[in-house]
């Protein structure tokens, strides 16, 4: 036993000597990210005639945060499956055009490639999921068919977009977008415009608003009572169909489905005329597109199938880049970002700001 002890000690020393050089060699190259979120940026690159430029490589791109160049850690230029949420405005103002919208939506489902997935959501006085995110075209076609006009007045655009981003698309990787078919006139959402735009600054989801003009025929709210009898239907399944909904109930993006009450559709009860309201609505939708590097479409209902093909074509050509900020500033800090492409006569469309997550 005494003779074995020196041998064991020698073996132990030898093992330690073998391990330490390896550890010392690997440690300098090791990159550890702690509490630093990857900033993902979808990018579209085209020429001056709006023709997409394919085949760019990592070396063609530069990204800057607040004027300082960042190291691109993630780059994807390959055609990959996409996830699309089709959000349909089924408020009372769309009653005359809903059938045409549904027909065009079915065309969108047809152009989805194998591996692509989609989800159908409607919003009026409430937000309802008609299908989960799925690649099953039959399920999606049936979901579009089930879309119907809401029973009460309301257009919860802010709430619908906020919920889709937070509760469906946030964990999804890769190319993802919301196609928002609406007249752009929010009425009754709990989520304010500012809250929604802040959320979009944190998100890597692209929004493609498709605007169509409608007449202004929503009622002036009575300030002596809530805008919707008994709240707004208590959340999901508003028409007794047992529709699917997000966890938490109540139909909002807030914890526990809490609502603020009273809505924010019409400040002070003063309503502009229909022409002015359409103008303000289109400006709001343009802002959603600009914030997320999407495109704003203002087309006739008859043109919707072509619009959907353009969106699907664009998403397939989307470049995805990502970087880790040099340091993690205080939550809620807004940064300016700029993406450059080292090619002449190129037009780059990407997010111009991002907001440090508050969660």
């Amino acid at each position: 036993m005494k003779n074995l002890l020196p041998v064991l000690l020698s073996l132990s020393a030898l093992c330690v000597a073998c391990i330490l050089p390896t550890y010392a060699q690997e440690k300098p190259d090791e990159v550890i990210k702690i509490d630093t979120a990857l900033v993902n940026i979808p990018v579209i690159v085209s020429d001056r005639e709006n023709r997409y430029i394919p085949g760019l490589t990592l070396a063609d791109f530069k990204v800057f945060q607040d004027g300082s160049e960042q190291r691109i850690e993630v780059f994807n230029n390959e055609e990959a499956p996409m996830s699309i949420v089709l959000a349909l405005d089924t408020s009372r103002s769309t009653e005359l055009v809903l059938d045409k919208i549904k027909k065009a939506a079915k065309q969108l489902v047809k152009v989805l490639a194998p591996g692509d997935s989609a989800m159908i959501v409607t919003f009026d006085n409430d937000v309802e999921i008609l299908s989960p995110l799925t690649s099953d075209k039959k399920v999606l076609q049936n979901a579009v068919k089930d879309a119907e006009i809401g029973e009460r007045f309301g257009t919860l655009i802010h709430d619908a977009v906020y919920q889709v981003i937070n509760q469906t698309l946030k964990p999804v990787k890769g190319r993802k977008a919301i196609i928002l078919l609406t007249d752009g006139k929010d009425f009754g959402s709990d989520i304010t415009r500012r809250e929604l735009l802040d959320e979009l600054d944190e998100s890597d989801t692209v929004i493609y608003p498709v605007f169509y003009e409608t007449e202004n025929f929503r009622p002036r709210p009575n300030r002596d009572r809530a805008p919707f009898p008994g709240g707004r239907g208590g959340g999901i399944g508003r028409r007794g169909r047992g529709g699917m909904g997000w966890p938490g109930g109540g139909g909002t993006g807030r914890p526990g489905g809490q609502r603020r009450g009273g809505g924010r559709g019409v400040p002070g009860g003063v309503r502009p005329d229909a022409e002015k309201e359409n103008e303000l609505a289109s400006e709001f939708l343009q802002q959603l597109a600009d914030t997320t590097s999407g495109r704003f479409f203002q087309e006739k209902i008859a043109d919707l199938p072509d619009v959907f093909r353009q969106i699907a074509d664009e998403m397939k050509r989307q470049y995805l880049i990502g970087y880790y900020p040099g340091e993690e500033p205080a939550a809620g800090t807004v940064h300016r970002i700029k993406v450059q492409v080292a090619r002449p006569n190129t037009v780059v469309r990407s997010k111009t700001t991002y907001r440090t997550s508050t969660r």
Side-chain angles (χ1 to χ4, degrees), residues 28-40:
D29 296 330
E30 188 177 8
V31 178
I32 301 176
K33 302 292 182 182
I34 301 176
D35 296 330
T36 302
L38 179 70
V39 179
N40 291 301

Side-chain angles (χ1 to χ4, degrees), residues 90 101 103 133 139 164 175 209 271 327:
T90 51
I101 291 174
K103 183 177 180 180
L133 201 60
V139 170
V164 166
R175 294 171 171 86
R271 303 190 61 80
E327 59 183 45

